[in-house]
Amino acid sequence: MKNLIDKLERDNYLDKDELLTLLTGFTPEDADYLYKKARKTADRIYGNSIYVRGLIEFTNYCRNNCFYCGIRRDNKRAERYRLSKEDILACCENGYQLGFRTFVLQGGEDPFYSDEMLVDIISEIRAKYQDCAITLSFGEKSYEQYALYKAAGADRYLLRHETANEEHYARLHPKELSCMNRKKCLYELKELGYQVGAGFMVGSPYQTMENLVEDLLFLKELQPEMVGLGPFIPHKDTPFADFESGRLELVLLLIGVVRLMLPSALIPATTALGTIHPQGRELGILAGANVVMPNLSPVGVRKKYMLYDNKICTGEEAAECRNCLQNRIKKIGYEIVVDRGDYKALEAVS
Ligand code: 5AD
Ligand code: FES
């Protein structure tokens, strides 16, 4: 297995069969070998800096009905909320004071927010915080809509592809949603000049190792600037309530593989990873991640943005999470920096 890992480090690529061999046959020693190389790669490009993104979960209304997600349309037990423009700007101000230089506006697909409203919110953040990056994450829109938000000042867009395999996609989503449209959105976002984030859940229901290989090869083809991956975690009020969570070891392995396949990628150690293991986020960083995304949403709404059960950090103030993470990251030899944390193309480093 070590020679496969060496090859991955050298070529930033393995073919389908090689990836399958790696994912199905790795031992704990192989995993450690991979993490060391992944970490070395991240250190070479980003040093010991860990970037922070302030997550503002501005609406938990969603017109979609994804089988895995706690804020799906049919979950009548979800208590719905929406933040006003003023609420959102207050989150940004709080975040700015705490040293955040990226704001992520994330929400369900909520038609309440018209393009006019979204453009107004984005432009105001753009004007007020010129040294900050604005990241959007509110699902599938048309090319024209993405273009409007970009013109208003957005820099980045997060849209996990969830699974690159069409049949698997259809087992996780109702039939109005398609893998093809998801991928189309990602390519359009790239074309418009966004820094783009794709990604997927590890251990989602019906996922096979072959599916994960397809996910990795899709990422290699798309070349996203950001890759979000975390474990699937069941939510009690969804059709997937009785499935098991994704496994820590597999998530970490995939973080390591993605780091070597896309050396410059910005890879978050996700909240979901922190939810399945008390040191999940630290382990994610040690396996090659270089971003953390603490919550900036008002404490009063945090418990309502429950995509999965037992989500961490829903009772804490933004300042508490910021300090907590700072300490955790320091302990493992890394440092949170006050920086937009843009993508660094490899050529610019070596
Ligand atoms: N477990 C883990 N991750 C989830 N997401 C949605 N529901 C769950 C769940 N039950 C992830 C999806 C989505 C992102 C915002 O959260 O990948 O893209
Ligand atoms: Fe939120 Fe530790 S990061 S409490």
Side-chain angles (χ1 to χ4, degrees), residues 114-124 145 148-149 151-152:
S114 63
D115 286 336
E116 205 185 338
M117 287 166 76
L118 291 168
V119 163
D120 180 46
I121 294 167
I122 296 163
S123 331
E124 187 137 348
Q145 290 176 300
L148 279 176
Y149 314 146

Side-chain angles (χ1 to χ4, degrees), residues 133-199:
I134 302 174
T135 303
L136 307 179
S137 179
F138 38 75
E140 297 179 17
K141 301 272 182 178
S142 68
Y143 183 89
E144 291 69 29
Q145 290 176 300
Y146 288 143
L148 279 176
Y149 314 146
K150 185 85 186 23
D155 305 283
R156 310 184 185 137
Y157 205 101
L158 306 178
L159 184 74
R160 288 189 178 177
H161 64 279
E162 312 297 359
T163 172
N165 178 276
E166 227 166 295
E167 286 91 62
H168 186 220
Y169 199 94
R171 300 190 81 168
L172 302 181
H173 301 94
K175 53 181 173 315
E176 345 39 293
L177 295 173
S178 79
C179 189
M180 213 169 66
N181 195 57
R182 197 81 177 173
K183 290 179 178 170
K184 176 166 161 267
C185 287
L186 283 165
Y187 281 105
E188 289 179 347
L189 287 162
K190 278 224 113 177
E191 191 184 319
L192 284 162
Y194 280 93
Q195 292 180 37
V196 170

Side-chain angles (χ1 to χ4, degrees), residues 76-112:
K76 301 295 180 232
R77 297 178 66 182
E79 236 185 283
R80 306 287 171 171
Y81 73 89
R82 290 185 176 112
L83 298 186
S84 66
K85 176 180 164 189
E86 290 66 37
D87 296 332
I88 295 172
L89 287 165
C91 293
C92 294
E93 188 50 38
N94 183 21
Y96 193 86
Q97 299 302 333
L98 291 169
F100 289 89
R101 294 296 178 269
T102 291
F103 303 120
V104 183
L105 299 181
Q106 184 167 86
E109 291 195 12
D110 181 1
F112 171 85

